[in-house]
Each structure stands twice: as C-alpha cells, then as structure tokens.
Amino acid sequence: MTYLLRSRIDHNIVTAETPDWGGGRPYHAEEGARILELVDAWRDGSRILMPDELPKQLVPHKPRKAWPDAFMSRNQMLIVREPVRNIIERFDPNLHQFFPIKFETKSGKEILGPWFMLVVMADQDSIVVEKSSVFINPNFPDTLCSATSTKPGELFVDPSRQAGVHLWREKRFKGHLWGSDQIVAEMEAQGLKFFRSHLKAIDV
C-alpha cells in the first residue's frame, strides 16, 4: 500500500526564516543561482548535500502551543524531530540525509527537539498515470506532472515498479512525498504528527 503524504497550512506547513542562510542583499546573480541549485537539490534529492551548504537555524514566524513532529518549511525544506528520524532510519537505513538544525523562537528559545532537515534521496516511478487523476504538463509529458486527486480511489501505483523503500519522491511527481503503509502505521503507532493528510493509492 502506498500513501501520498500531504501538507496542510494549518498543520504541517510552518512558515519560517533561515537567518544564517540565503541570498545576499543586494541580489547577486551568481549567489542567486547557487541558492536555487541548493533548493532544487534538497527538494528533489538530486545530489548529496554537504552540511556547510545548508541552513543551521530555523525561526518560525508565529508561535504555536504544539508543533508537528514533521513539517515542511521555507523552500520546501522537510524538518523532522528525532523520533521521526529514528523511524525513517530504521525503515530506510543509511538512505536519506539528515542535517541537524536549530529550531528556535524569535527570542532565541529552542523548541524541544532535536530537529533535523530531511533530504529524501529515493525516487521511484510507480504511478500508473493512465489510471490516475493527475495533471500532465503538455510541454513535459514524461517528466513533469502533479497529482490532482483529493479523494481516495483516484491514484494507482504498480508495486512491481517499487524498490522496497519506505519514503520517496515519485520521479514524475517531484513536488510530492510518498510513504509506505508500514512507515505511516509506525508513525501513527508512536503518536507522531507526521503528514497526517494521507491519500491512499491503489495497487494494480
């Protein structure tokens, strides 16, 4: 079983700043190109990243009484708390990249962690486009699409095209995060707030 893991603005999206990282002011084309390349790399898992390339600090715009254990932030950064990291490592050992990041309030108070920036390094091509509710970009029909379904029964995957990883990006659906039923069940069993807006895909 496969799940499309979705973020919602009131739950798993945290707007924030990275004070120690980002383009300079005034804007410089070379620096801007470097920043865009890094954002693409962590969003798509397209290459191995080095710690000195990435933010070390994340400061949310607004306070909350409780924080999700996994969320998406600025430039589609995936941030996870240590219990989530531990589960991902257990299911996909030594596959994805994790970078420690200090998650703290504007006043400098650390938010209970530890926290890590997650770069998902696996991708698969298992969606059966012909059966699924998807958008196909006519300019890039083989490489750039997006899932448009918002209800069960409209996404189909082929298990024979999956490699056994538990967290991944679909090759033609780079903007989405996908997970196995095993990893989703384990997150729920441990009471972790992990991208709970699941959309279940159907095996063909």
Side-chain angles (χ1 to χ4, degrees):
M1 192 180 300
T2 299
Y3 287 96
L4 169 59
L5 306 175
R6 299 183 296 179
S7 300
R8 292 174 52 195
I9 191 65
D10 60 342
H11 183 71
N12 282 109
I13 294 179
V14 174
T15 57
E17 297 296 330
T18 50
D20 65 318
W21 188 94
R25 292 181 174 84
Y27 177 80
H28 296 287
E30 185 175 334
E31 175 69 1
R34 185 185 74 88
I35 295 297
L36 287 175
E37 189 275 330
L38 289 170
V39 170
D40 286 343
W42 77 52
R43 184 179 57 200
D44 297 339
S46 55
R47 71 169 176 85
I48 297 292
L49 290 160
M50 298 293 109
D52 61 1
E53 295 180 303
L54 302 174
K56 305 291 190 297
Q57 180 187 24
L58 188 68
V59 179
H61 289 166
K62 296 181 180 180
R64 291 191 184 191
K65 291 183 178 180
W67 299 91
D69 298 294
F71 59 87
M72 182 182 292
S73 191
R74 186 179 182 188
N75 293 318
Q76 296 188 34
M77 293 170 59
L78 293 176
I79 306 296
V80 300
R81 204 164 61 83
E82 189 170 49
V84 172
R85 175 190 179 275
N86 292 343
I87 291 174
I88 295 171
E89 275 290 272
R90 175 152 53 87
F91 277 86
D92 288 337
N94 302 314
L95 177 58
H96 310 295
Q97 288 193 283
F98 296 90
F99 299 93
I101 191 165
K102 186 179 290 186
F103 187 39
E104 59 186 16
T105 66
K106 291 181 179 179
S107 63
K109 181 180 179 181
E110 288 196 39
I111 298 167
L112 183 63
W115 298 90
F116 298 87
M117 181 178 173
L118 163 64
V119 181
V120 176
M121 299 300 293
D123 61 7
Q124 303 185 120
D125 188 18
S126 66
I127 294 179
V128 182
V129 174
E130 298 77 14
K131 289 179 172 287
S132 300
S133 175
V134 298
F135 168 73
I136 300 177
N137 188 320
N139 297 316
F140 305 95
D142 298 321
T143 59
L144 184 61
C145 330
S146 62
T148 59
S149 176
T150 58
K151 54 187 178 182
E154 295 185 348
L155 290 175
F156 294 81
V157 296
D158 184 348
S160 69
R161 286 156 47 182
Q162 295 181 341
V165 298
H166 293 273
L167 198 66
W168 71 93
R169 308 282 193 185
E170 282 282 330
K171 288 182 179 179
R172 291 178 290 174
F173 297 80
K174 291 291 188 179
H176 301 300
L177 183 65
W178 298 76
S180 70
D181 58 336
Q182 296 99 323
I183 201 168
V184 169
E186 184 64 18
M187 296 291 180
E188 293 181 342
Q190 295 199 24
L192 297 171
K193 297 177 182 177
F194 177 76
F195 298 107
R196 292 190 174 183
S197 184
H198 312 325
L199 185 62
K200 184 169 64 175
I202 299 171
D203 293 345
V204 298

